[in-house]
Amino acid sequence: MCVHACGREDAGTERALPRRTGGVRDFQEIPHTGSNGWINLLRFWKDGRFSLLHKHMENTFRRLGPIYRNGTEWRADRLLLNREVMVASAVRRFLPLLDDVAQDFCRSLRHRVETEGVGETGQRRMTLDPSPDLFRFALEASCHVLYGERIGLFSSSPSEESERFIWAVERMLATTPPLLYLPPRLLLRLRAPLWTQHATAWDHIFSHAEARIQRGYQRMQMAVGGASDGRFLGVLGQLMEAGQLSLELIKANITELMAGGTAVPLQFALFELGRNPDVQERVRAQVLSSWEQASGNPHKALQGAPLLKGTIKETLRLYPVGITVQRYPVRDIVLQNYHVPAGTLVQVCLYPLGRSPEVFDRPERFDPSRWAGSKPDENAGSGGSFRSLAFGFGSRQCVGRRIAENEMQLLLMHILRNFKLTVSSTEELNTKYTLILQPESPPRITFTTRSL
């Protein structure tokens, strides 16, 4: 855990102050890395450590301990959004749409492996970097849920609109990290090319959302006229039909949901399943049994395969997409027997948390069953429910959580039904932190077809 005190200007040197015995310790006694933010920032730039920020956090966690320091309207709108994307009834509405995209993805991949791969019939295999395909899957699945329509990213010749949207999302993700630490007004005055590219990318993303909103409105009007066949019109249609949020708020929230993505955690999940064949077989056995009993119903199939959810949690434990969860306490609190004043930025550092033997038994082991309700991790302690924080917690947790969780589970379910996964190396993946945590080099996965 990391805490930041705004406006402090202590020396930029790292120090761990001596402990005071008895009573709650003062805020100034918290071990720290130096509170001069600008000096720390310049050091990071000079040493090229931004891409290894997650490793820096882990080292600091080990060196200074689990706590150190570095220098009614929103809620109402959020509750309205939750009804369409978070509650169980909403999940049941959009789950078939995610399942359609996941099955299409696997059909497309299976056709490619069978026609371009090597090996005997029924056991054709192909080794590839799945990251571009996973990126398209994530966008296609999210669009289907949010807009109620497909955008054709699995097509051999996607539309110009779809290709422009893919470019915009890629540019937005690529240009964001360098801009996080520089004042936007300075970049605007300097007319920095990076800022121009970033702004242009967001213009395209918002234009895409605007066009989809217009189409959604037209479909809703047709539904009012009796042209709808009872199909789910997407989260956008539900929000517009409810009429409780302004179009600007709808556009902003839909765009934010679109900007998220599951492609990177899916890369990590496929890699871990590939290098842990025993785990892969246990998850597959549960998936096959559940799929058969569910007779193709995706909701029932996921309910009967809790190891799928455990696989996602285990992946995000080792490779959190965002490496911190941040909060400003509204009142003074005590953390680890240190007094922390209200208004202090408090960060939970997820990367070292997920790899700490004080929190998880044998944290280096990829074990989806550690999340099963009947087998709590031995080291869970009283805070067991807060060990999985990849999506945040409370009212401000990631609003796209249910979409992302089910999107990943459904794709893994159909991949395990269709393929056996292997990797050429079981060595740890090197990772880097940009806007999100990702592999330095995308892992190559061998997909071998299975009989269905």
Side-chain angles (χ1 to χ4, degrees):
M1 181 172 294
C2 174
V3 294
H4 296 254
C6 298
R8 292 193 53 80
E9 290 294 336
D10 297 336
T13 56
E14 178 186 297
R15 65 192 180 102
L17 293 176
R19 294 189 174 188
R20 183 177 65 188
T21 58
V24 175
R25 301 177 203 168
D26 188 74
F27 181 78
Q28 307 305 322
E29 293 187 77
I30 298 177
H32 64 85
T33 60
S35 346
N36 192 317
W38 286 108
I39 290 178
N40 287 341
L41 182 62
L42 289 170
R43 285 175 177 166
F44 260 67
W45 256 323
K46 180 180 178 182
D47 299 340
R49 284 187 284 166
F50 278 114
S51 65
L52 297 175
L53 182 59
H54 56 299
K55 293 290 187 181
H56 169 75
M57 286 181 173
E58 185 177 24
N59 292 334
T60 306
F61 184 92
R62 291 173 176 168
R63 189 171 61 250
L64 299 182
I67 180 168
Y68 59 93
R69 59 190 171 100
N70 278 359
T72 320
E73 183 178 349
W74 173 89
R75 185 175 180 82
D77 292 342
R78 179 58 188 267
L79 290 174
L80 292 172
L81 275 172
N82 286 352
R83 294 178 197 169
E84 306 305 333
V85 294
M86 292 289 281
V87 300
S89 58
V91 173
R92 283 193 290 271
R93 283 197 300 268
F94 64 66
L95 212 55
L97 279 68
L98 292 176
D99 191 55
D100 285 347
V101 180
Q103 293 207 51
D104 281 355
F105 175 92
C106 287
R107 277 191 288 267
S108 174
L109 180 58
R110 188 178 182 100
H111 176 74
R112 182 180 172 190
V113 173
E114 288 177 341
T115 55
E116 301 177 27
V118 298
E120 301 175 1
T121 302
Q123 287 189 321
R124 303 282 285 175
R125 66 184 182 276
M126 185 175 184
T127 301
L128 54 93
D129 164 18
S131 57
D133 298 311
L134 293 174
F135 181 67
R136 288 174 179 259
F137 161 77
L139 289 179
E140 183 80 15
S142 296
C143 276
H144 200 18
V145 169
L146 297 176
Y147 303 130
E149 63 179 1
R150 301 285 292 269
I151 59 175
L153 296 183
F154 295 164
S155 168
S156 57
S157 54
S159 67
E160 182 180 344
E161 178 194 20
S162 297
E163 292 287 7
R164 189 165 58 248
F165 179 63
I166 289 174
W167 172 87
V169 174
E170 288 176 336
R171 290 311 304 157
M172 180 274 292
L173 292 173
T175 55
T176 295
L179 299 177
L180 290 176
Y181 308 99
L182 293 173
R185 290 181 181 177
L186 174 63
L187 292 165
L188 192 59
R189 286 185 178 182
L190 295 176
R191 300 183 182 275
L194 195 67
W195 175 258
T196 303
Q197 291 178 32
H198 185 74
T200 301
W202 272 114
D203 285 344
H204 280 305
I205 292 171
F206 274 109
S207 296
H208 183 269
E210 185 74 45
R212 296 287 162 173
I213 286 173
Q214 293 299 326
R215 284 207 281 268
Y217 181 76
Q218 292 170 2
R219 288 202 310 275
M220 190 174 69
Q221 291 298 101
M222 292 174 61
V224 171
S228 173
D229 57 3
R231 292 180 296 111
F232 174 58
L233 296 177
V235 173
L236 172 64
Q238 296 290 119
L239 290 172
M240 294 177 71
E241 189 175 40
Q244 294 178 289
L245 289 177
S246 69
L247 280 179
E248 283 303 308
L249 274 175
I250 291 174
K251 182 168 74 171
N253 282 286
I254 289 291
T255 304
E256 183 179 346
L257 287 165
M258 273 303 309
T262 58
V264 173
L266 281 168
Q267 289 181 56
F268 286 124
L270 293 176
F271 170 76
E272 287 292 347
L273 288 171
R275 74 167 182 160
N276 292 278
D278 292 343
V279 172
Q280 182 183 159
E281 288 307 315
R282 286 199 300 273
V283 180
R284 177 181 290 109
Q286 195 177 77
V287 161
L288 295 176
S289 174
S290 182
W291 180 255
E292 183 178 0
Q293 293 178 30
S295 301
N297 182 311
H299 180 65
K300 291 181 179 178
L302 292 186
Q303 284 186 318
L307 284 179
L308 275 174
K309 190 168 188 176
T311 299
I312 300 304
K313 284 190 169 185
E314 191 72 341
T315 299
L316 294 174
R317 173 182 73 83
L318 292 169
Y319 312 101
V321 178
I323 59 176
T324 66
V325 174
Q326 304 175 345
R327 292 291 186 272
Y328 288 96
V330 296
R331 62 182 65 88
D332 289 11
I333 58 175
V334 175
L335 293 174
Q336 297 278 314
N337 206 35
Y338 288 105
H339 171 255
V340 178
T344 303
L345 175 60
V346 179
Q347 296 189 108
V348 178
C349 301
L350 300 182
Y351 188 87
L353 175 73
R355 293 167 181 263
S356 171
E358 296 181 10
V359 183
F360 294 96
D361 180 51
R362 296 180 63 187
E364 75 286 350
R365 181 179 58 180
F366 186 79
D367 180 15
S369 66
R370 78 168 76 236
W371 300 99
S374 59
K375 184 198 170 187
D377 194 288
E378 292 87 341
N379 290 357
S382 59
S385 60
F386 277 84
R387 294 178 305 140
S388 180
L389 292 173
F391 293 100
F393 64 94
S395 60
R396 292 184 180 272
Q397 66 182 294
C398 174
V399 70
R401 175 176 188 162
R402 301 302 178 208
I403 297 175
E405 287 177 332
N406 288 283
E407 189 177 295
M408 291 188 284
Q409 288 181 66
L410 285 168
L411 184 64
L412 289 183
M413 179 174 71
H414 291 300
I415 284 178
L416 291 173
R417 290 180 56 238
N418 280 271
F419 303 100
K420 177 182 177 182
L421 308 171
T422 53
V423 292
S424 59
S425 172
T426 59
E427 295 296 316
E428 288 283 337
L429 280 178
N430 292 324
T431 52
K432 62 181 180 181
Y433 177 71
T434 53
L435 181 60
I436 59 176
L437 187 69
Q438 55 187 312
E440 279 191 358
S441 299
R444 294 179 63 80
I445 311 292
T446 298
F447 295 83
T448 303
T449 58
R450 298 181 64 259
S451 57
L452 294 172

